[in-house]
């Protein structure tokens, strides 16, 4: 059972890890040193006990607990994959970590109620926030423990009061609500500052990350097209002077747009060209021939002769499929001239073409 008060104070992730480690220390041989009970825990043990986190996440949360002074970690002398862990009972007893992390008596952290939480209990009844409300000194001490500057807290008191007065909502503890609000604001501020630190302008030597290239290649975009897109992308953004931390993301979007334009242009290209040596009619071309009741195998037999003829003639065309349709229809008609219906159609066509009665 995780204490809601502890989770609200140090963060849910930190509260969960602190609880799990306290349980693990009960299951491993204890080493008593400096009035503390230490236990050897390996990374494998931690991953098995907390399978919902990756190793990188475990390290991040463990570091947060160490910075808050709640968890002590020392490397083992004989094993690189094992470390010595201890719950800092003295820090846990301070106001910033006053809470119980387990229902089992042996796994609890001695944490007498602090003045902060006595204050946040208020009178036990819900009330609206006063217009001149101010956090007490214990709140500032709590924030200092989390590394939050005093001026950061003071700058947000007024907006906090205005926000809750506009909503006319009563709370049992405005100090507790304010503490949660400040912790959330500080995390957001640090995330923003971390992103700002990663921001850079576009340099002439910039290259997309391997992850970005892999994503584009999995989308069916050729590696040569990706490589050729880099100089244009660099020039475009160097001229604009943008500073950002998401250049690879922008590059992915840029290449996808350019690839779509390129493939569309190739499909609808109207530039006259020589017939390719490996020319093959499109599927749509075969569909048209099928609608004309022309045998598809017969059409395929004409490809080699058709390509050879136009290669020798050195002529260009904007649509070799159209010429192939005409060629196959002509050869199909020539082969079936002996049949009466076809012969009558051909004769009728010749008569129409040679009819000069209009001239009289």
């Amino acid at each position: 059972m995780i204490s809601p008060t502890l989770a609200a104070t140090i963060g849910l992730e930190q509260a969960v890890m602190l609880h799990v480690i306290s349980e693990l220390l009960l299951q491993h041989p204890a080493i008593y040193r400096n009035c503390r009970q230490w236990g050897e825990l390996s990374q494998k043990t931690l991953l098995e006990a907390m399978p919902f986190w990756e190793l990188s996440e475990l390290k991040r949360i463990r570091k947060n607990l160490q910075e808050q002074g709640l968890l002590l970690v020392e490397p083992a002398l004989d094993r690189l994959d094992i470390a010595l862990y201890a719950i800092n009972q003295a820090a846990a007893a301070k106001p910033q970590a006053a809470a119980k992390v387990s229902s089992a008596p042996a796994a609890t952290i001695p944490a007498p109620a602090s003045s902060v939480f006595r204050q946040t209990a208020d009178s036990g009844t819900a009330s609206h926030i006063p217009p001149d409300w101010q956090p007490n000194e214990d709140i500032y001490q709590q924030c200092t423990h989390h590394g939050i500057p005093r001026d950061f807290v003071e700058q947000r008191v007024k907006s906090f009061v205005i926000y809750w007065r506009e909503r006319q909502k009563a709370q049992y503890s405005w100090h507790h609500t304010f503490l949660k609000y400040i912790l959330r604001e500080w995390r957001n501020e640090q995330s923003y500052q971390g992103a700002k630190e990663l921001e850079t302008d576009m340099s002439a030597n910039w290259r997309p990350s391997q992850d970005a290239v892999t994503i584009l290649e999995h989308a069916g975009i050729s590696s040569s097209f990706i490589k050729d897109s880099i100089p244009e992308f660099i020039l475009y953004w160097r001229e604009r002077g943008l500073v950002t931390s998401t250049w690879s993301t922008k590059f992915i979007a840029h290449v996808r747009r350019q690839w779509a334009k390129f493939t569309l242009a190739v499909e609808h290209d109207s530039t006259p060209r020589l017939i390719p040596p490996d020319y093959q009619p499109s599927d749509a071309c075969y569909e048209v021939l099928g609608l004309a009741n022309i045998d598809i195998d017969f059409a395929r037999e004409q490809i080699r002769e058709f390509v050879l003829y136009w290669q020798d003639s050195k002529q260009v065309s904007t649509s070799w499929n159209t010429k192939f349709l005409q060629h196959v229809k002509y050869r199909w008609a020539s082969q079936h001239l002996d049949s009466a219906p076809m012969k009558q159609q051909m004769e009728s066509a010749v008569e129409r073409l040679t009819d000069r009665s209009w001239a009289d």
Side-chain angles (χ1 to χ4, degrees), residues 213-224:
V213 174
T214 302
I215 290 172
L216 292 170
E217 288 178 343
H218 285 171
I221 302 175
S222 67
S223 56
S224 59

Side-chain angles (χ1 to χ4, degrees), residues 82 89-90 95 99 121 185 187-188 226 231 276-277 284 291 299 312 314 324-326 347 353-354 357:
I82 288 181
Q89 304 287 358
E185 287 291 299
R187 284 194 293 268
N188 294 339
I226 298 171
L291 293 173
D312 290 343
K314 303 296 183 183
F324 182 74
L325 283 172
Q326 295 170 347
E347 290 175 350
L353 292 173
T354 58
S357 60

Side-chain angles (χ1 to χ4, degrees), residues 145-157:
H145 173 73
H146 286 283
I148 305 175
R150 188 182 183 94
D151 59 346
F152 181 89
V153 180
E154 292 174 343
Q155 291 170 5
R156 282 154 179 79
V157 173

